Amino acid sequence: MGVGMKSFLKGLWGFVEVLIVIYVIIITACLLATNKYGFTQFNNTTLVTIDEFRAKYLDESQVNDLLIVKGTPNDIVVGDKIYYYGTAENKYTVETAHVRKIVSQDDTMAIYQLDDEESTPIASNRVLGKYSAIYPNIGGVLDVLESKIGFLLLVILPILLIFMYQIYALIIVIKYGDEDIEQEEARKKAKKEKKAKKKKKETPKKEKKEDKEDEVELL
């Protein structure tokens, strides 16, 4: 394999390593940012993956969608459509309703009355926000990546492969020397071969010239 091809493959593998590390960091951050309700939350932004159970309570979403909700209690006014944590079948889910009335509000806590049949009061610590965006099919992918099997196969395994490759590369360097030294030797060898070929081409010309000189002397 040529020196150029080796350099290309080495650079390509380095690029793949960087992508894997970034991907692992993102997935690990999502897992570490899981809140007490079981959803990924970064500050005032919550990621909601939609499965069959959650889709029943969110009409605008479909299975495998990713719902991103943002907002703070200070953003909410009467008439806003909000997303909040509810319970159904002994599980936490995300539901939506409009705010009929703000019962109380201060710097740390607010209580809203919803426009459902029961006029349900809901505290601001159970409200995700009011700004939302839906991304089709991404939720299903995120669910797989954050599952135990997905984390094992798609996070731990890539890191293990990178670690094993780095050990292999270290052994090769110890055994055969640095690749840069090998490349330098290859360049020197190529240079010597080029000089030898040039010398070989010049030798017949020199011999021909000497023959002509001999002929002149004889004359």
Side-chain angles (χ1 to χ4, degrees):
M1 186 181 293
V3 175
M5 182 58 71
K6 282 185 179 179
S7 299
F8 172 75
L9 292 176
K10 185 178 179 181
L12 181 62
W13 176 248
F15 177 71
V16 171
E17 280 184 330
V18 171
L19 288 181
I20 291 174
V21 169
I22 293 173
Y23 149 76
V24 168
I25 289 172
I26 292 172
I27 298 303
T28 304
C30 288
L31 290 170
L32 293 176
T34 302
N35 62 22
K36 66 180 181 179
Y37 300 105
F39 296 88
T40 299
Q41 181 177 354
F42 298 101
N43 197 10
N44 296 322
T45 302
T46 306
L47 310 183
V48 181
T49 57
I50 308 298
D51 55 17
E52 290 184 2
F53 172 69
R54 294 168 190 160
K56 289 190 262 183
Y57 303 95
L58 292 168
D59 295 336
E60 73 268 34
S61 301
Q62 296 180 351
V63 177
N64 294 329
D65 283 355
L66 175 65
L67 172 67
I68 298 180
V69 184
K70 300 180 181 179
T72 62
N74 294 330
D75 298 330
I76 297 171
V77 296
V78 173
D80 280 344
K81 178 183 177 180
I82 63 171
Y83 295 85
Y84 64 94
Y85 295 113
T87 54
E89 301 175 23
N90 297 320
K91 297 178 184 178
Y92 284 115
T93 186
V94 174
E95 300 182 44
T96 184
H98 289 81
V99 176
R100 177 179 293 165
K101 179 182 178 183
I102 299 177
V103 179
S104 65
Q105 188 173 30
D106 56 33
D107 294 336
T108 58
M109 179 68 72
I111 298 177
Y112 310 106
Q113 185 182 86
L114 305 180
D115 66 346
D116 56 8
E117 294 178 357
E118 295 81 17
S119 297
T120 306
I122 191 82
S124 58
N125 60 357
R126 296 190 68 170
V127 175
L128 288 75
K130 68 175 184 178
Y131 304 106
S132 65
I134 297 175
Y135 300 91
N137 302 318
I138 297 178
V141 175
L142 190 59
D143 268 340
V144 171
L145 295 177
E146 290 184 343
S147 66
K148 291 180 180 178
I149 295 177
F151 187 78
L152 178 64
L153 295 179
L154 302 174
V155 176
I156 300 299
L157 186 58
I159 288 294
L160 184 61
L161 289 174
I162 290 176
F163 177 75
M164 291 174 65
Y165 175 78
Q166 292 298 337
I167 294 296
Y168 167 76
L170 180 62
I171 292 171
I172 293 298
V173 169
I174 292 172
K175 189 172 180 181
Y176 298 106
D178 196 343
E179 192 172 336
D180 291 338
I181 296 173
E182 291 182 355
Q183 290 178 0
E184 185 63 30
E185 289 178 352
R187 281 195 292 268
K188 287 181 179 179
K189 187 178 178 181
K191 194 174 181 181
K192 284 181 181 179
E193 289 177 353
K194 189 176 180 181
K195 285 178 75 175
K197 285 181 181 178
K198 189 176 179 183
K199 191 175 180 182
K200 193 174 180 181
K201 286 180 180 178
E202 289 176 351
T203 301
K205 290 181 181 179
K206 191 174 181 183
E207 290 177 352
K208 193 174 182 180
K209 188 176 179 183
E210 288 176 353
D211 290 341
K212 279 188 177 181
E213 288 176 354
D214 290 342
E215 287 176 6
V216 170
E217 287 179 1
L218 289 170
L219 291 170

